[in-house]
Short mmCIF file of all heavy atoms in Angstrom, two decimals:
data_model
loop_
_atom_site.label_atom_id
_atom_site.label_comp_id
_atom_site.label_asym_id
_atom_site.label_seq_id
_atom_site.Cartn_x
_atom_site.Cartn_y
_atom_site.Cartn_z
N ASP A 17 79.80 109.77 81.07
CA ASP A 17 80.39 109.90 79.84
C ASP A 17 81.71 109.13 79.95
O ASP A 17 82.66 109.62 80.39
CB ASP A 17 80.68 111.40 79.42
CG ASP A 17 81.15 111.50 77.99
OD1 ASP A 17 81.73 110.60 77.40
OD2 ASP A 17 81.08 112.69 77.48
N ASN A 18 81.65 107.88 79.41
CA ASN A 18 82.84 106.96 79.63
C ASN A 18 83.92 107.47 78.70
O ASN A 18 85.14 107.27 79.07
CB ASN A 18 82.46 105.54 79.12
CG ASN A 18 81.65 104.80 80.33
OD1 ASN A 18 81.55 105.34 81.40
ND2 ASN A 18 80.99 103.78 79.84
N ALA A 19 83.67 108.10 77.69
CA ALA A 19 84.80 108.77 76.82
C ALA A 19 85.50 109.72 77.58
O ALA A 19 86.75 109.96 77.32
CB ALA A 19 84.25 109.24 75.51
N LYS A 20 84.89 110.47 78.47
CA LYS A 20 85.54 111.42 79.26
C LYS A 20 85.89 111.00 80.68
O LYS A 20 86.34 111.85 81.55
CB LYS A 20 84.63 112.68 79.36
CG LYS A 20 84.39 113.50 78.08
CD LYS A 20 83.57 114.65 78.19
CE LYS A 20 83.41 115.38 76.91
NZ LYS A 20 82.49 116.59 76.99
N ASN A 21 85.59 109.73 81.01
CA ASN A 21 85.87 109.15 82.31
C ASN A 21 85.17 110.00 83.40
O ASN A 21 85.78 110.32 84.47
CB ASN A 21 87.35 109.07 82.60
CG ASN A 21 88.02 107.77 82.08
OD1 ASN A 21 87.33 107.05 81.27
ND2 ASN A 21 89.23 107.53 82.48
N SER A 22 83.92 110.24 83.17
CA SER A 22 83.21 111.19 84.13
C SER A 22 81.81 110.68 84.38
O SER A 22 81.27 110.03 83.55
CB SER A 22 83.24 112.61 83.53
OG SER A 22 84.48 113.18 83.45
N VAL A 23 81.40 111.04 85.62
CA VAL A 23 80.03 110.76 85.97
C VAL A 23 79.45 112.09 86.55
O VAL A 23 80.24 112.79 87.24
CB VAL A 23 79.85 109.56 86.95
CG1 VAL A 23 80.62 109.79 88.17
CG2 VAL A 23 78.47 109.24 87.19
N TYR A 24 78.13 112.29 86.39
CA TYR A 24 77.57 113.65 86.80
C TYR A 24 76.31 113.36 87.53
O TYR A 24 75.68 112.33 87.53
CB TYR A 24 77.24 114.38 85.53
CG TYR A 24 78.38 114.48 84.57
CD1 TYR A 24 78.45 113.65 83.40
CD2 TYR A 24 79.43 115.48 84.72
CE1 TYR A 24 79.44 113.75 82.51
CE2 TYR A 24 80.40 115.65 83.79
CZ TYR A 24 80.44 114.65 82.69
OH TYR A 24 81.50 114.85 81.68
N LEU A 25 76.00 114.28 88.41
CA LEU A 25 74.74 114.44 89.19
C LEU A 25 74.18 115.78 89.01
O LEU A 25 74.60 116.70 89.56
CB LEU A 25 74.94 114.09 90.57
CG LEU A 25 73.57 113.94 91.45
CD1 LEU A 25 72.86 112.67 90.95
CD2 LEU A 25 73.90 113.83 92.87
N GLN A 26 73.17 115.90 88.19
CA GLN A 26 72.38 117.07 87.90
C GLN A 26 71.33 117.21 89.04
O GLN A 26 70.50 116.31 89.13
CB GLN A 26 71.79 117.08 86.57
CG GLN A 26 70.83 118.41 86.38
CD GLN A 26 71.71 119.74 86.28
OE1 GLN A 26 72.86 119.76 85.76
NE2 GLN A 26 71.16 120.70 86.91
N MET A 27 71.38 118.17 89.94
CA MET A 27 70.43 118.32 90.96
C MET A 27 69.60 119.57 90.77
O MET A 27 70.13 120.73 90.78
CB MET A 27 71.22 118.41 92.25
CG MET A 27 72.12 117.31 92.61
SD MET A 27 72.90 117.22 94.23
CE MET A 27 73.81 118.71 94.20
N ASN A 28 68.29 119.39 90.57
CA ASN A 28 67.36 120.44 90.40
C ASN A 28 66.44 120.53 91.63
O ASN A 28 66.33 119.55 92.31
CB ASN A 28 66.64 120.26 89.13
CG ASN A 28 67.48 120.24 87.80
OD1 ASN A 28 68.49 120.98 87.90
ND2 ASN A 28 67.03 119.38 86.87
N SER A 29 65.72 121.68 91.69
CA SER A 29 64.75 121.79 92.68
C SER A 29 65.25 121.48 94.13
O SER A 29 64.72 120.71 94.87
CB SER A 29 63.50 120.93 92.44
OG SER A 29 62.87 121.28 91.20
N LEU A 30 66.45 122.04 94.34
CA LEU A 30 67.15 121.69 95.56
C LEU A 30 66.34 122.17 96.82
O LEU A 30 65.63 123.18 96.73
CB LEU A 30 68.55 122.47 95.59
CG LEU A 30 69.66 121.74 94.70
CD1 LEU A 30 70.80 122.66 94.43
CD2 LEU A 30 70.05 120.48 95.35
N LYS A 31 66.51 121.39 97.79
CA LYS A 31 65.82 121.70 99.12
C LYS A 31 66.97 121.80 100.18
O LYS A 31 68.09 121.33 100.07
CB LYS A 31 64.88 120.50 99.52
CG LYS A 31 63.88 120.11 98.48
CD LYS A 31 63.09 118.94 98.87
CE LYS A 31 62.14 118.53 97.91
NZ LYS A 31 61.24 117.28 98.29
N THR A 32 66.57 122.52 101.22
CA THR A 32 67.59 122.66 102.35
C THR A 32 68.09 121.35 102.90
O THR A 32 69.26 121.26 103.33
CB THR A 32 66.98 123.52 103.41
OG1 THR A 32 65.75 122.91 103.87
CG2 THR A 32 66.69 124.98 102.91
N GLU A 33 67.22 120.38 102.89
CA GLU A 33 67.64 119.07 103.38
C GLU A 33 68.67 118.28 102.49
O GLU A 33 69.09 117.27 102.84
CB GLU A 33 66.37 118.25 103.75
CG GLU A 33 65.44 118.06 102.45
CD GLU A 33 64.22 118.98 102.69
OE1 GLU A 33 64.52 120.18 102.99
OE2 GLU A 33 63.11 118.51 102.39
N ASP A 34 68.91 118.79 101.30
CA ASP A 34 69.90 118.29 100.40
C ASP A 34 71.31 118.68 100.78
O ASP A 34 72.27 118.28 100.27
CB ASP A 34 69.60 118.71 98.91
CG ASP A 34 68.38 118.11 98.39
OD1 ASP A 34 68.09 116.97 98.64
OD2 ASP A 34 67.71 118.90 97.56
N LYS A 35 71.44 119.59 101.77
CA LYS A 35 72.75 120.01 102.19
C LYS A 35 73.54 118.81 102.85
O LYS A 35 73.05 118.30 103.81
CB LYS A 35 72.66 121.14 103.25
CG LYS A 35 73.94 121.55 103.92
CD LYS A 35 73.64 122.58 104.99
CE LYS A 35 74.90 122.95 105.75
NZ LYS A 35 75.51 121.77 106.54
N ASP A 36 74.67 118.42 102.27
CA ASP A 36 75.49 117.36 102.67
C ASP A 36 76.72 117.43 101.84
O ASP A 36 76.91 118.21 100.99
CB ASP A 36 74.73 116.04 102.40
CG ASP A 36 73.73 115.57 103.38
OD1 ASP A 36 74.10 115.79 104.60
OD2 ASP A 36 72.77 114.89 103.04
N VAL A 37 77.67 116.54 102.33
CA VAL A 37 78.82 116.30 101.50
C VAL A 37 78.51 115.13 100.50
O VAL A 37 78.00 114.06 101.02
CB VAL A 37 80.10 115.91 102.32
CG1 VAL A 37 81.29 115.63 101.45
CG2 VAL A 37 80.36 117.05 103.33
N TYR A 38 78.73 115.42 99.30
CA TYR A 38 78.42 114.47 98.23
C TYR A 38 79.74 113.71 97.78
O TYR A 38 80.63 114.34 97.44
CB TYR A 38 77.71 115.09 97.09
CG TYR A 38 76.31 115.45 97.42
CD1 TYR A 38 75.97 116.45 98.34
CD2 TYR A 38 75.23 114.75 96.85
CE1 TYR A 38 74.69 116.75 98.63
CE2 TYR A 38 73.88 114.99 97.13
CZ TYR A 38 73.65 115.97 97.99
OH TYR A 38 72.26 116.32 98.33
N PHE A 39 79.56 112.37 97.61
CA PHE A 39 80.75 111.52 97.18
C PHE A 39 80.30 110.79 95.92
O PHE A 39 79.13 110.20 95.78
CB PHE A 39 81.02 110.54 98.25
CG PHE A 39 81.53 111.13 99.64
CD1 PHE A 39 80.55 111.51 100.61
CD2 PHE A 39 82.84 111.37 99.87
CE1 PHE A 39 80.97 112.05 101.79
CE2 PHE A 39 83.16 111.92 101.13
CZ PHE A 39 82.25 112.19 102.05
N CYS A 40 81.27 110.63 95.04
CA CYS A 40 81.06 109.65 94.00
C CYS A 40 81.88 108.43 94.37
O CYS A 40 82.87 108.58 95.06
CB CYS A 40 81.46 110.21 92.56
SG CYS A 40 83.14 110.46 92.28
N ALA A 41 81.40 107.29 93.79
CA ALA A 41 82.01 106.01 94.25
C ALA A 41 81.97 105.00 93.22
O ALA A 41 80.99 105.06 92.29
CB ALA A 41 81.42 105.47 95.49
N ALA A 42 82.91 104.17 92.99
CA ALA A 42 82.96 103.07 92.02
C ALA A 42 82.62 101.77 92.74
O ALA A 42 83.20 101.40 93.80
CB ALA A 42 84.27 103.01 91.32
N ALA A 43 81.68 101.10 92.24
CA ALA A 43 81.26 99.79 92.83
C ALA A 43 82.19 98.62 92.44
O ALA A 43 82.92 98.73 91.41
CB ALA A 43 79.81 99.49 92.37
N ARG A 44 82.29 97.71 93.33
CA ARG A 44 83.14 96.52 92.96
C ARG A 44 82.64 95.79 91.79
O ARG A 44 83.35 95.25 90.98
CB ARG A 44 83.12 95.55 94.19
CG ARG A 44 83.76 96.09 95.32
CD ARG A 44 83.87 95.03 96.45
NE ARG A 44 84.59 95.43 97.62
CZ ARG A 44 84.08 96.17 98.59
NH1 ARG A 44 82.78 96.34 98.54
NH2 ARG A 44 84.75 96.54 99.65
N ILE A 45 81.39 95.85 91.59
CA ILE A 45 80.65 95.11 90.48
C ILE A 45 81.06 95.86 89.09
O ILE A 45 81.00 96.99 89.03
CB ILE A 45 79.17 95.12 90.63
CG1 ILE A 45 78.47 94.07 89.73
CG2 ILE A 45 78.50 96.40 90.55
CD1 ILE A 45 77.07 93.73 89.95
N ILE A 46 81.43 94.97 88.09
CA ILE A 46 81.74 95.57 86.81
C ILE A 46 81.00 94.86 85.72
O ILE A 46 80.59 93.71 85.85
CB ILE A 46 83.25 95.43 86.56
CG1 ILE A 46 83.66 93.97 86.53
CG2 ILE A 46 84.03 96.25 87.49
CD1 ILE A 46 85.13 93.79 86.05
#
């Protein structure tokens, strides 16, 4: 949502192997 300066990740059907530290990142490409 660019109006809110936000990005989201909806994660459903989670598995035990999804256990991690999650990072958001901005790419150099614009």
